[in-house]
C-alpha cells in the first residue's frame, strides 16, 4: 500500500488552528543509544509526543526562544507556522511517510532517483544556516521526483569517527562515544525540525560496529589484492595532536584542525596503492556530470605527466652507482648544469654529502622537515615570494651524454615522494631552476641555452625560455647523440630512445598522486583487522572475515603518547592476543601463538568512502550490499556537497568504488553520477567606518585601512575602526555612505563619507554565525528553506540577510491568506486567465526544479500568488490545490496544510500525489509582453498583439501614462522595433 493511502486521515478541525497558537517543536524523535559501549545505534527514529496544545516547552524550544529574543527577533504572527510545522513533522514521523521500502517491496519497473547529501560530521556546535542550503536542495529534488512517480531514496547518517570528539575526550575525559551520541542527537533534531524528507530507518553511523565491520572487510580485500601495505615513509607528524596527517590536512606547516606545528618524521605506516588506479581515476572523469572545476582539481591532484627517467653516474662511486631523476623535458638534456635531490632522498646523508658540507646540509634538512609540501613547492604566497632555497652537498655527478661534471644540491622544492625525489636543473629553460641558479647555484652553476623558438636563434632567446611547443633544439650534441635542429616533440623522443639504448634512462609516466597514507595514531577510529605474531613481528596476519568486527577496547586513556605510539598501545590486554585458528593456516603461522594487534586506527575518510552503498542495504548482516539492491539503486543520481572535498573524500570514494567494481561487489565504475557543489553562505554585510584617532573624523576606507597599520607616535595606531549599523548608512550607486543624520557623524565632518561594506565567512570569532534554530523560531522552517533557495543560484556564494527571510515569510503568509475566510475558496470553475496563470507557473516551476534553478522557481510561485491575490472570492479550489502541489517540495509544511484545508481536512499527505502537468494550450496567447524603452531605459511593459505593426506599437506606447512623462514635448529621433521582443523610442534630450 502506498504511503499516501496508508496514512491516517485527519478531521478538518485539526487543520484550522487559531492565529495566536504559540509555536512549539513538540516532535522529539528517538535518541541515540549505544550497543555495548561504543556502537552508535542508528535504529528507527520514533515520534514520542502528545498533542501540540498539551506539550510543555522543551529546553531546546526555550533556548531558541531566548536566543531569538536576545537577537531582537520576536516570533512572527503572520500565519500559524508553529502549529502547522509541528503537526506535519509529527504526521510524517508517525506514518513513516518517507520510508523507502526494502528491495523486495519496491516496484523495480519504475525509475529510481537516489539523492544524497555529503555525510556530515556531527560537531558539538550543531547546524549553522550554511548547512541547510545543500540539504534543502536535495530535499526539494527528492520530493519532486517522488511526485513524478520515481522510487526515491534519500537517507541521512553520520561520519562520526574523527579528531574533534577525541580532542574533546582528551580535554575533558568524556568518552568520544558519549560526545558523538550527544552531537548526533542535536544534529538529528535540527534536521527533523526543518522537515527534510529523509528515510530515518536507513540512518547509520560510521562508529556502529555493524557498519565498520564492513569497512574492515573492505580493508581485508585491499590487503589481499596487494593494495594495502606497510612502509616506513616520511610522514606529517603533529606532536600536539599525536598523529600523522595526510598532505591535505596540513596547511602552511600547520595542522588543518587546531593549527598545530607539523614536522616530517619517518614512521611505519599502512598505505593504500591508490596510484595503481591513477589512470582509471583520470579517464573515467570524462563520463561524470560533475562541475568542470572539480574534475580539473582531481586531474591536477593526480598530475599525470609523461617524460623520461635519466641516470647520472656518481663521480665519487666505484660501483657505477647512478642518481636517477625524472623529467618531462628530455629535449633539454644538454642544458642540464646541476642536479637537486629532496631532503628525504635516501642517498643524501650516506652517499652524497661530504664531511665539509654535512653540518650545513643537516641544518637545511631539519628546517625543511618543518615545512609543508605546499610551502616547499611555492604553493603559498610567502614561499613563492621568497623563491627556491637549497644547499650544496659537496657531491658531483656525470652528464650521461657529455660526461661533464655537475654539482648536486639539496633543495626542499624537490619532494621525496614525487618521481625519483631528484630533478635535473636546466636554468635556461625552467623558471624555478633559473631562480635557483641566481640565488643558490652561483659560480658552480652555468646557464646553457639549448632550445629556441622556430624562426629565431639562440641569441634571440630571453631567459628563462620555457616554451615546450614551437621550438627547435640547439647546442645539443655529444656522446653519439645529435638533436640540433629537431622540433621539440621529435627531440624528446630521440633523447629518450638514446638514453634507453645506452642504459641511462627510459620513457616513463609519472603521477603527482601519492599512495594514500591510511593510518592515524589515534584511538577514535576503525581498528585494523590485522595482528603481528611475536615470533615474526614483520609478518601481517589478517583477521578472518568470520571474526569481524574488531571493536575498540573500553579505556579512559585517549592521550597521545607523544612518541608516535598510538593511545591503543596502552591498552595492553586488548593489544595482546593469540593467532586464532581461523587466521593461522592462511597466514602460514601456528594457531594459538602470541601476537599483538595493530594499534593505529583507520583515518576518518575510511568510513565515508562507501557509506552510499550501505544506505541502500543498511540491515544486511550477510553482505555489505545485496547485488540486487546494488544493481537497482546505484549509482547515486545526485550528490550535493562542498568543493572542499574535491581531492579528499571524492577521490578516495572513487578509488574504493573501483576496487569494489574489480571485486564484483558493484556493477558501476563510478559511485556518483551527478555532483553539485552548493555555494557558501556568508554572514550579513558588516558596515565599518574608519576614524582618524587624532582628529576624530571619518576618513576614506582605503586611507583608514592604511592608518590602522601606522603608529601615531604615542604607541597607538593612527586610525581605528567603528562598527556601524544598517541604519547608519545609505546606498549610493555602487557604494555605501554614512547618513547625514547618523548619531556617529562628528561635528565638522566633511561629507559624504564612504563606508566599507563587506560580508565575511561565518565564524564564532567574528560573531556572525546565524543559528537556524533562531530563524525557525521567528519565521518557521518553511521560511528558512525557501529563503536559502531564493537567495540566488544554488552554486553561487551568497550573503545572508535577515530582511530577506522576512520577505519570503511574507510571501508564505500571502499564500496562506488565499484560503482565509469562509468564502476564500470553493468548487467554482476557473476562468481562462486563472488557468493561464496556473499553467505558466506549472511550466516554470517544473523546468526550474528539474534544472535546480530553485530561486527562479520560487519567483514563479510568487508571481502566481500575486495574481491569485487579486482574484475574486471564492477562488477555484482546484487551482489552489494544484498550486499547493507545486509549493510542497519547497515549503512542505504549509503546502500540506493548504491541501488539507482545501480537501475538507480528511485527506492524506500530498507527498506522493502526481506532479501537475502543464497544458501548453492554456498558456498560448496572441499577446506578447513588450518592454518599452525611452532612450534605452525601460519605462513601461505592455501586452501587445503578436502581429502588431511598428506604428501601432509606437501609438500604444505613447498612450501609456509613464511613457508620456519621458516623451512629452520631445522630438522622436528614432524608433527601434523588434517584433515580439522590444520597442525603444529615442527622443531628443
Amino acid at each position: 500500500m502506498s504511503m499516501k493511502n496508508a496514512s491516517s486521515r485527519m478531521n478538518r478541525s485539526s487543520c484550522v488552528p487559531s492565529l495566536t497558537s504559540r509555536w512549539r517543536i513538540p516532535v522529539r524523535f528517538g535518541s541515540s543509544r549505544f550497543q555495548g559501549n561504543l556502537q552508535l545505534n542508528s535504529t528507527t527514529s520514533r515520534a514520542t509526543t502528545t498533542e501540540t496544545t498539551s506539550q510543555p516547552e522543551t529546553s531546546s524550544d526555550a533556548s531558541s526562544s531566548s536566543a531569538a529574543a536576545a537577537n531582537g527577533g520576536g516570533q512572527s504572527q503572520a500565519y500559524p507556522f508553529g502549529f502547522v510545522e509541528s503537526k506535519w513533522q509529527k504526521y510524517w514521523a508517525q506514518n513513516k511517510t518517507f520510508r523507502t521500502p526494502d528491495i523486495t517491496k519496491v516496484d523495480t519497473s519504475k525509475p529510481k532517483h537516489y539523492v544524497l547529501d555529503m555525510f556530515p560530521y556531527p560537531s558539538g556546535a550543531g547546524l549553522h544556516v550554511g548547512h541547510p542550503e545543500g540539504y534543502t536542495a536535495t530535499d526539494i529534488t527528492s520530493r519532486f521526483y517522488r511526485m513524478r512517480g520515481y522510487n526515491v531514496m534519500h537517507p541521512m547518517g553520520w561520519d562520526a569517527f574523527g579528531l574533534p570528539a577525541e580532542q574533546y575526550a582528551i580535554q575533558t575525559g568524556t568518552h568520544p562515544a558519549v560526545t558523538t551520541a550527544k552531537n548526533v542527537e542535536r544534529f538529528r533534531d535540527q534536521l527533523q525540525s526543518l522537515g527534510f524528507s529523509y528515510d530515518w530507518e536507513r540512518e547509520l553511523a560510521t562508529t556502529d560496529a555493524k557498519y565498520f565491520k564492513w569497512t574492515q572487510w573492505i580493508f581485508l580485500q585491499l590487503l589481499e589484492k596487494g593494495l594495502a601495505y606497510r612502509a616506513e615513509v616520511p610522514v606529517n607528524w603533529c606532536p600536539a595532536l599525536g598523529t600523522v596527517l595526510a598532505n591535505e590536512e596540513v596547511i602552511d606547516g600547520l595542522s588543518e584542525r587546531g593549527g598545530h606545528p607539523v614536522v616530517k618524521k619517518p614512521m611505519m605506516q599502512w598505505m593504500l596503492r591508490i596510484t595503481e588506479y591513477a589512470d582509471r581515476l583520470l579517464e573515467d572523469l570524462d563520463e561524470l556530470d560533475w562541475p568542470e572545476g572539480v574534475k580539473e582539481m582531481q586531474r591536477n591532484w593526480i598530475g599525470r605527466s609523461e617524460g623520461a627517467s635519466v641516470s647520472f653516474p656518481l663521480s665519487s662511486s666505484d660501483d657505477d652507482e647512478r642518481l636517477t631523476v625524472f623529467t618531462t623535458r628530455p629535449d633539454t638534456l644538454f642544458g642540464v648544469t646541476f642536479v637537486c635531490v629532496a631532503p628525504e632522498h635516501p642517498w643524501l646523508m650516506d652517499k652524497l654529502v661530504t664531511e665539509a658540507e654535512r653540518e650545513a646540509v643537516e641544518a637545511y634538512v631539519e628546517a625543511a622537515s618543518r615545512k609543508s609540501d605546499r610551502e616547499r613547492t611555492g604553493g603559498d604566497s610567502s614561499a613563492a615570494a621568497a623563491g627556491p632555497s637549497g644547499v650544496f652537498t659537496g657531491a658531483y655527478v656525470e652528464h650521461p651524454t657529455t660526461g661533464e661534471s655537475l654539482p648536486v644540491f639539496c633543495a626542499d622544492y624537490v619532494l621525496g615522494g614525487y618521481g625519483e625525489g631528484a630533478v635535473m636543473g636546466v636554468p635556461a629553460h625552467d623558471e624555478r631552476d633559473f631562480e635557483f641558479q641566481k640565488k643558490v647555484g652561483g659560480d658552480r652553476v652555468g646557464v646553457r641555452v639549448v632550445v629556441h623558438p622556430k624562426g629565431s636563434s639562440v641569441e634571440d632567446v630571453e631567459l628563462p625560455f620555457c616554451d615546450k611547443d614551437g621550438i627547435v633544439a640547439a647546442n645539443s650534441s655529444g656522446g653519439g647523440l645529435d638533436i640540433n635542429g629537431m622540433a621539440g616533440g621529435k627531440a624528446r623522443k630521440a633523447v629518450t630512445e638514446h638514453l634507453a639504448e645506452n642504459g641511462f634512462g627510459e620513457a616513463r609516466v609519472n603521477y603527482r598522486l601519492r599512495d594514500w597514507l591510511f593510518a592515524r595514531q589515534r584511538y577514535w577510529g576503525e581498528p585494523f583487522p590485522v595482528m603481528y605474531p611475536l615470533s615474526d613481528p614483520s609478518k601481517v596476519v589478517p583477521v578472518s572475515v568470520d571474526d569481524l568486527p574488531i571493536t575498540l577496547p573500553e579505556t579512559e586513556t585517549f592521550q597521545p603518547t607523544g612518541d608516535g605510539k598510538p593511545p591503543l598501545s596502552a591498552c595492553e590486554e586488548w593489544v595482546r592476543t593469540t593467532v586464532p585458528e581461523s587466521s593461522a593456516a592462511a597466514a602460514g603461522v601456528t594457531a594459538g601463538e602470541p601476537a599483538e594487534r595493530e594499534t593505529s586506527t583507520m583515518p576518518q575518510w575510511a568510513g565515508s568512502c562507501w557509506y552510499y552503498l550501505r544506505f541502500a542495504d543498511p540491515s544486511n548482516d550477510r553482505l555489505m550490499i545485496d547485488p540486487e539492491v546494488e544493481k537497482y539503486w546505484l549509482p547515486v543520481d545526485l550528490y550535493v556537497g562542498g568543493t572542499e572535498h574535491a581531492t579528499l573524500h571524492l577521490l578516495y570514494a572513487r578509488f574504493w568504488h573501483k576496487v569494489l567494481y574489480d571485486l564484483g561487489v558493484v556493477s558501476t565504475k563510478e559511485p556518483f553520477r551527478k555532483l553539485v557543489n552548493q555555494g557558501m553562505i556568508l554572514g550579513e554585510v558588516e558596515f565599518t567606518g574608519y576614524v582618524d584617532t587624532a582628529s576624530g573624523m571619518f576618513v576614506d576606507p582605503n586611507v583608514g585601512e592604511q592608518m590602522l597599520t601606522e603608529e601615531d607616535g604615542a604607541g597607538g595606531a593612527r586610525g581605528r575602526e567603528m562598527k556601524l549599523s544598517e541604519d547608519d548608512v545609505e546606498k549610493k550607486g555602487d557604494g555605501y555612505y554614512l547618513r547625514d543624520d547618523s548619531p556617529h557623524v562628528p561635528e565638522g565632518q566633511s561629507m559624504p563619507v564612504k563606508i566599507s561594506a563587506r560580508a565575511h565567512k561565518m565564524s564564532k570569532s567574528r560573531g556572525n554565525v546565524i543559528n537556524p534554530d533562531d530563524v525557525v523560531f521567528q519565521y518557521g522552517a518553511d521560511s528558512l528553506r525557501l529563503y536559502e533557495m531564493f537567495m540566488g543560484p544554488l552554486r553561487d556564494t551568497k550573503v545572508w540577510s535577515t530582511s530577506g527571510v522576512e520577505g519570503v515569510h511574507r510571501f508564505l503568509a500571502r499564500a496562506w491568506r488565499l484560503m482565509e475566510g469562509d468564502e476564500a475558496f470553493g468548487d467554482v470553475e476557473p476562468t481562462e486567465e486563472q488557468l493561464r496563470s496556473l499553467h505558466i507557473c506549472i511550466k516554470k516551476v517544473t523546468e526550474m526544479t528539474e534544472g535546480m534553478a530553485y530561486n527562479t522557481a520560487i519567483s514563479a510561485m510568487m508571481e502566481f500568488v500575486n495574481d491569485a491575490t487579486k482574484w475574486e472570492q471564492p477562488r477555484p479550489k482546484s487551482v489552489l490545490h494544484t498550486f499547493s502541489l507545486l509549493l510542497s517540495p519547497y515549503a512542505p509544511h504549509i503546502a500540506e496544510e493548504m491541501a488539507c484545508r482545501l480537501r475538507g481536512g480528511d485527506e492524506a499527505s500530498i507527498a506522493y500525489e502526481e506532479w501537475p502537468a502543464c497544458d501548453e494550450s492554456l498558456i498560448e496567447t496572441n499577446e506578447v509582453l513588450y518592454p518599452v524603452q525611452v532612450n534605452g531605459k525601460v519605462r513601461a511593459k505592455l501586452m501587445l498583439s503578436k502581429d502588431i505593426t511598428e506604428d501601432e506599437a509606437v501609438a500604444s506606447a505613447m498612450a501609456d501614462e509613464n511613457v508620456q512623462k519621458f516623451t512629452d514635448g520631445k522630438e522622436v529621433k528614432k524608433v527601434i522595433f523588434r517584433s515580439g521582443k522590444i520597442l525603444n523610442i529615442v527622443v531628443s534630450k
Side-chain angles (χ1 to χ4, degrees), residues 531-541 577-579 584 587-597:
M531 62 185 69
Y532 310 100
L534 297 186
S535 60
D536 184 2
S538 64
K539 193 175 190 65
V540 177
V541 178
T577 186
T578 57
V579 177
V589 296
T590 305
E593 70 170 284
E596 291 189 347
R597 298 188 190 279

Side-chain angles (χ1 to χ4, degrees), residues 740-760:
D740 293 340
D741 58 356
S742 168
H744 298 292
V745 178
E747 187 175 343
Q749 174 71 53
S750 175
M751 301 294 276
V753 174
K754 193 167 187 179
I755 299 300
S756 171
R758 296 177 184 169
H760 301 269

